Amino acid sequence: MGGTGQRRRAPAGSRPTRLTRRGRILARVAGAVAVLILGVAGVGAWIYQDLDDNINAADLDNKLGGDRPANLSPGSKNILVVGSDSRDGANAKYGKDLTTMQSDTLMVMHVPANRKWATVVSFPRDSWVRISACDKGDGVTSARHHAKINEAFAIGGTSGKVAEAAACTIKTVEADTGLRIDHFMSVDFQGFKGMVNALDGIKVCPEQAIHDEKARLDLEAGCQTVKDEEALGYVRARYSVGDGSDIGRIGRQQEFMEALAEKAQSKLTSPKALYDFLQSATKSLTTDEDLAGIKPLYSLASEVKGIPSQRLTFLTVPNYPREADVATDKANIVWQYPQAADLFTSLAQDKEVNKKELQADAQDLIYASRVRVQVLNGTGVTGRAATVAGMLREAGFSVAGTGNAPETTRTTTATYPQGLDEQAKVLTSRLPGARATQRPDAAAGVVTLVVGTDLDLDDIR
């Protein structure tokens, strides 16, 4: 306890979502898209052009800035996928006092350079992260701050433009993960509902009745077919289902998408059903300019379709309730370090993630609040230790004290006594580039962080 940084078993809700059959979702979705697009090509050129023109293109040029992560794996692709909860038009009834766009679902699909595997990482929208400074589209730039990750989409979307919403989300995800985002896709609520309706609904089998006022859903227990508002409510419901966590909703959404893809492949045999489905899908879709068309989307689907199903991995960022670090915060989660950093680094370097190993590592965790840190200023910049200490406290760490290092140093280092190696990893994984070293003369019971001139305060996670 206290300074020892006792290891804790991860709460059930914080473990990466276990997906049995869900590993095949991406292949089925990609396969369905490929089959549908091929079907369109056979129907006629005018339909092809009609659907092609439906897809909205978000011009992200000059909106992302120059301070972006380096592309460490040329040929690979990181695609940010957002389920948009816009409050405009027909979507207005799903929000109360929400006047901007919202991201209801957020994930990154990593497709490697060799196209032999793929990993999809879901980001719970309650993730407490650093939101980047963003252009709100009204001439005002928001300040960098900490909040739920889905706030980035809302801030950028203040003006109602998807391009600005996408840009702020991309900047935030890149800053918090170190992954360079190559493409962006957004699907809004109404388009999702139209796709379900074109299939005459999707069968679901809730074990318990779901009565969720926020999701506008009243559903009895047992197997039944849902469409229209019920389908939308089913994938949005959260507080009245299970433990009320966003983690549970992610799993339910993934299961629903699997059922949708399966039904699309079997049912869309008539030209009318096919056309209605694709009209809804393409009208609801906004992508970056490079993906804004049937051809590039089909090319992407073809690449993913060829990946063996056993090498398609779905993960949720390892996490735990933020209440463990900040007792007053009962509404958010934080990403679990060093496991989250290891996951992002692997994908950035185009290395396949071993899901079982990640899950095993996530079973035992050390809360940030159980890591005692002494911060020393090695930069020569007055007040730097206090600034870093404040940022670490906000992240949940227990700061034992601050001071000045004996000399100025360029390299940020963490030294620790025997027995605190895991605590040092938790700390340095939040400070990109920092190195940890065990030393026999290290201060007892704490990890001593010497802040060097190489530490960019904006990089602290």
Side-chain angles (χ1 to χ4, degrees):
M1 299 295 288
T4 64
Q6 183 175 351
R7 188 184 295 267
R8 298 295 182 97
R9 182 161 294 279
S14 71
R15 298 171 188 168
T17 306
R18 296 187 64 84
L19 306 176
T20 53
R21 295 187 304 129
R22 297 174 199 156
R24 299 191 295 272
I25 299 174
L26 188 55
R28 289 174 177 169
V29 171
V33 171
V35 168
L36 297 178
I37 295 174
L38 283 174
V40 172
V43 172
W46 71 271
I47 291 182
Y48 179 97
Q49 187 62 49
D50 183 32
L51 296 173
D52 202 60
D53 290 342
N54 283 343
I55 302 171
N56 297 306
D59 181 6
L60 300 179
D61 288 346
N62 303 318
K63 292 182 175 65
L64 299 178
D67 186 19
R68 302 183 64 193
N71 183 355
L72 302 180
S73 54
S76 67
K77 295 178 181 178
N78 288 315
I79 304 163
L80 183 68
V81 182
V82 175
S84 172
D85 187 0
S86 170
R87 300 315 191 201
D88 290 334
N91 288 338
K93 59 188 173 184
Y94 295 105
K96 187 175 182 180
D97 300 326
L98 291 175
T99 58
T100 61
M101 298 177 174
Q102 307 287 316
S103 60
D104 199 59
T105 303
L106 184 64
M107 62 186 72
V108 169
M109 178 172 70
H110 178 85
V111 182
N114 64 15
R115 305 298 192 262
K116 293 183 178 179
W117 55 275
T119 297
V120 179
V121 180
S122 291
F123 299 89
R125 70 176 189 174
D126 290 343
S127 299
W128 186 258
V129 301
R130 182 188 59 192
I131 307 296
S132 295
C134 296
D135 182 355
K136 299 172 67 175
D138 57 1
V140 176
T141 299
S142 64
R144 184 183 292 109
H145 64 285
H146 280 78
K148 295 178 187 291
I149 195 168
N150 69 331
E151 187 173 299
F153 200 77
I155 290 173
T158 299
S159 64
K161 296 179 180 178
V162 176
E164 275 79 6
C168 190
T169 302
I170 291 172
K171 289 176 67 175
T172 296
V173 171
E174 287 189 341
D176 290 318
T177 66
L179 295 171
R180 187 179 180 101
I181 301 301
D182 302 292
H183 296 293
F184 168 83
M185 300 175 65
S186 175
V187 180
D188 72 21
F189 274 174
Q190 295 304 312
F192 170 82
K193 186 173 68 176
M195 286 186 280
V196 172
N197 288 349
L199 299 174
D200 293 327
I202 299 297
K203 184 178 180 180
V204 298
C205 299
E207 295 181 358
Q208 297 178 338
I210 305 175
H211 303 293
D212 194 308
E213 182 177 353
K214 290 186 176 181
R216 302 172 64 88
L217 179 67
D218 284 297
L219 205 63
E220 298 305 320
C223 294
Q224 56 207 285
T225 297
V226 296
K227 58 192 301 188
D228 294 314
E229 307 305 324
E230 281 191 338
L232 211 49
Y234 183 78
V235 296
R236 294 188 68 243
R238 169 183 175 180
Y239 298 103
S240 59
V241 186
D243 61 2
S245 72
D246 199 40
I247 308 300
R249 177 170 59 176
I250 287 173
R252 191 166 59 258
Q253 289 173 342
Q254 290 171 336
E255 289 174 341
F256 193 94
M257 288 306 297
E258 178 180 18
L260 184 147
E262 288 177 341
K263 192 166 185 179
Q265 287 178 301
S266 63
K267 182 176 177 59
L268 295 179
T269 55
S270 75
K272 184 181 185 305
L274 176 64
Y275 183 69
D276 290 346
F277 182 88
L278 285 175
Q279 276 285 354
S280 295
T282 53
K283 282 183 178 179
S284 69
L285 186 63
T286 299
T287 73
D288 60 276
E289 291 188 314
D290 289 340
L291 272 186
I294 297 294
K295 278 188 177 180
L297 287 173
Y298 172 64
S299 176
L300 173 63
S302 297
E303 291 177 353
V304 177
K305 184 183 179 183
I307 296 172
S309 60
Q310 66 270 23
R311 297 187 69 180
L312 291 168
T313 305
F314 276 79
L315 301 168
T316 298
V317 179
N319 62 83
Y320 60 87
R322 188 167 182 255
E323 183 181 4
D325 293 333
V326 181
T328 57
D329 187 351
K330 303 181 186 301
N332 299 299
I333 64 167
V334 291
W335 295 345
Q336 179 181 340
Y337 288 90
Q339 290 81 4
D342 292 343
L343 168 61
F344 302 144
T345 297
S346 294
L347 296 181
Q349 297 176 348
D350 209 21
K351 296 179 180 178
E352 189 169 6
V353 178
N354 187 311
K355 181 177 178 179
K356 289 184 178 180
E357 289 183 3
L358 180 66
Q359 289 178 331
D361 289 342
Q363 293 304 304
D364 296 312
L365 64 87
I366 296 178
Y367 300 139
S369 58
R370 298 297 179 180
V371 179
R372 297 183 69 242
V373 186
Q374 177 177 261
V375 184
L376 302 181
N377 185 0
T379 68
V381 179
T382 302
R384 183 54 56 88
T387 299
V388 172
M391 297 177 74
L392 292 178
R393 286 193 184 96
E394 186 177 4
F397 288 92
S398 176
V399 177
T402 60
N404 292 315
E407 57 186 21
T408 299
T409 177
R410 180 181 185 282
T411 305
T412 298
T413 59
T415 58
Y416 59 92
Q418 184 177 5
L420 293 185
D421 53 331
E422 295 300 324
Q423 287 72 24
K425 288 180 182 178
V426 172
L427 174 64
T428 55
S429 64
R430 300 283 194 110
L431 311 170
R435 296 183 301 180
T437 305
Q438 180 182 327
R439 293 180 50 172
D441 60 344
V446 299
V447 178
T448 301
L449 176 68
V450 177
V451 180
T453 58
D454 65 339
L455 181 63
D456 187 338
L457 299 183
D458 290 341
D459 290 340
I460 298 178
R461 295 168 175 164

